Amino acid sequence: MAGRTDEQHRIALFIDFENLVTNTGISASQFDLQPALDQLLEQGKVVFRRAYCNWSRFEDAKQRLHDVGVELVDVPPSTRAGKNSADMRLVIDALELCYAREQIDTFVIASGDSDFCPLAYKLRENGRTVIGLAVREASSQMFVRACDQFIYMKPKHKGDGSHKEKDRDHGGRGAKGDEGKGGKRGGKGHDKGHEGKGAKEGAESKGGKPKAEVPAVAREVVQSLLRRATGPLNPSLIKETIVRKEPDFDERDHGFSTFARLLEALEQEGVLRRIQQGRQGYIVGPDSDFSAPAHEGKGGKGRHGKAPAPVEEEEEELESYPDPDDEGL
């Protein structure tokens, strides 16, 4: 979740499989965990993968899950409440792993069921990061808020046309860039050489994607952080703060392909200013006098730096020695 660190996160994935394929638009035969798994692998190593279900009902999904290294835990229904048996087994295993494996710092609960709220609270109480994973339409907002982060799985629509359209959109960026209306950023700044970039977001909204619009939570977080900032802010800090307030936040849901695009839109609104320090970008207030720190090269000269002031050498204090002729006096 945070920016990359020297030590990778160790992630445990627990899947309530029946919850993910019941009334969600995802069939067991087409269930594809790989896209969600790829997002988790960007944050660390997924060292534990387990799915709980009465697998006699979902034979079609078993091979797909085996292919991505998921251990299948079969929970036959001992009573009519067979699903609750799977939930209980998942909770027990998650808590046992939490107490037995301190190196696992992130737990992913693949379910949208609010019954897992107590588990999320207990894991967070023990210092673990909790990530939820489910389909948006089948996710309880109570469980979403109980997690540190929430990832939405997208059900496959009929036909493969939507995927081909998505590939065309990403592959042909800017093909219709000059035809954008320039109104997506409030009409500000589209004459500063960013016309192609701004129009691209407007063109992408035609293929069923949401029109690019800065969410209120992003604007509020940026303004709040900048008011209290004593120096330039790292963009990853802004993203982390937004996700803490809205665990299911995803800039793509608001029409921005990356978080950098969202920051660019905020800059066009005059909310912030972006500066560059080497390869790293930082965020400062629009009227701030912060600037990119100078890189002192050899000789002490940076791009924006001033030559170092000459250091005045203190005159060496001459030590006085007694005259040999006076020693006897």
Side-chain angles (χ1 to χ4, degrees):
M1 229 172 88
R4 292 189 179 279
T5 58
D6 294 336
E7 184 178 356
Q8 287 184 317
H9 293 292
R10 299 294 190 273
I11 302 172
L13 171 61
F14 292 85
I15 302 173
D16 176 12
F17 187 79
E18 186 174 350
N19 180 273
L20 297 182
V21 297
T22 303
N23 301 321
T24 61
I26 299 179
S27 65
S29 59
Q30 294 182 338
F31 183 82
D32 186 8
L33 183 65
Q34 192 62 54
L37 195 58
D38 288 341
Q39 292 189 57
L40 296 176
L41 289 171
E42 292 174 1
Q43 304 189 34
K45 295 180 64 176
V46 183
V47 297
F48 186 96
R49 310 175 188 189
R50 188 174 287 181
Y52 299 79
C53 180
N54 175 15
W55 291 108
S56 63
R57 296 181 53 198
F58 303 103
E59 292 286 344
D60 295 340
K62 294 171 71 172
Q63 187 58 49
R64 284 176 171 268
L65 290 168
H66 277 307
D67 290 343
V68 291
V70 176
E71 178 188 355
L72 306 183
V73 178
D74 188 30
V75 187
S78 56
T79 64
R80 285 181 295 178
K83 180 182 180 300
N84 291 335
S85 299
D87 292 357
M88 184 66 70
R89 177 73 182 274
L90 189 157
V91 170
I92 292 173
D93 287 355
L95 289 175
E96 182 180 17
L97 193 68
C98 172
Y99 293 119
R101 299 286 185 271
E102 293 185 0
Q103 69 271 24
I104 296 180
D105 59 0
T106 303
F107 283 72
V108 181
I109 311 300
S111 176
D113 196 340
S114 61
D115 289 345
F116 289 109
C117 286
L119 172 61
Y121 298 148
K122 181 58 67 174
L123 290 171
R124 293 176 69 180
E125 181 183 326
N126 282 275
R128 304 304 197 271
T129 297
V130 179
I131 301 176
L133 174 65
V135 177
R136 183 187 297 272
E137 291 76 14
S139 300
S140 163
Q141 281 301 305
M142 185 181 297
F143 182 56
V144 171
R145 299 298 178 187
C147 298
D148 294 294
Q149 181 185 351
F150 208 92
I151 300 173
Y152 288 122
M153 301 180 69
K154 293 179 173 56
K156 291 184 178 180
H157 300 288
K158 293 181 180 179
D160 296 325
S162 60
H163 297 282
K164 293 178 181 177
E165 271 185 22
K166 188 180 291 185
D167 292 338
R168 280 202 302 271
D169 289 340
H170 288 290
R173 282 191 221 184
K176 297 181 181 179
D178 297 333
E179 296 174 12
K181 295 182 180 180
K184 81 179 181 62
R185 290 178 183 155
K188 293 183 181 180
H190 68 279
D191 57 342
K192 293 184 178 181
H194 299 288
E195 193 167 351
K197 294 181 181 179
K200 182 193 71 176
E201 299 288 358
E204 285 183 350
S205 64
K206 295 179 181 178
K209 296 183 179 180
K211 184 179 178 182
E213 185 175 353
V214 177
V217 65
R219 191 178 293 106
E220 292 168 2
V221 166
V222 169
Q223 291 173 336
S224 176
L225 289 176
L226 287 176
R227 277 197 301 269
R228 295 181 280 115
T230 57
L233 299 176
N234 194 310
S236 63
L237 171 64
I238 298 174
K239 179 69 177 285
E240 290 170 13
T241 307
I242 295 173
V243 171
R244 280 198 295 271
K245 296 190 72 174
E246 288 193 6
D248 58 347
F249 174 82
D250 189 335
E251 60 274 3
R252 292 171 294 183
D253 293 336
H254 302 279
F256 298 97
S257 57
T258 63
F259 190 66
R261 296 289 187 197
L262 175 57
L263 294 177
E264 182 183 348
L266 285 169
E267 184 177 31
Q268 296 295 335
E269 290 184 2
V271 176
L272 56 84
R273 181 164 57 90
R274 295 180 298 170
I275 61 175
Q276 194 74 19
Q277 179 186 356
R279 295 184 179 181
Q280 176 65 50
Y282 291 92
I283 303 301
V284 297
D287 302 321
S288 172
D289 56 358
F290 290 125
S291 60
H295 293 289
E296 290 191 2
K298 294 179 180 179
K301 294 181 181 180
R303 184 179 174 186
H304 300 290
K306 297 179 181 180
V311 178
E312 295 183 3
E313 296 183 2
E314 295 182 1
E315 293 184 2
E316 292 185 4
E317 198 174 305
L318 297 177
E319 297 183 11
S320 59
Y321 296 93
D323 192 315
D325 296 335
D326 298 334
E327 286 184 359
L329 295 178

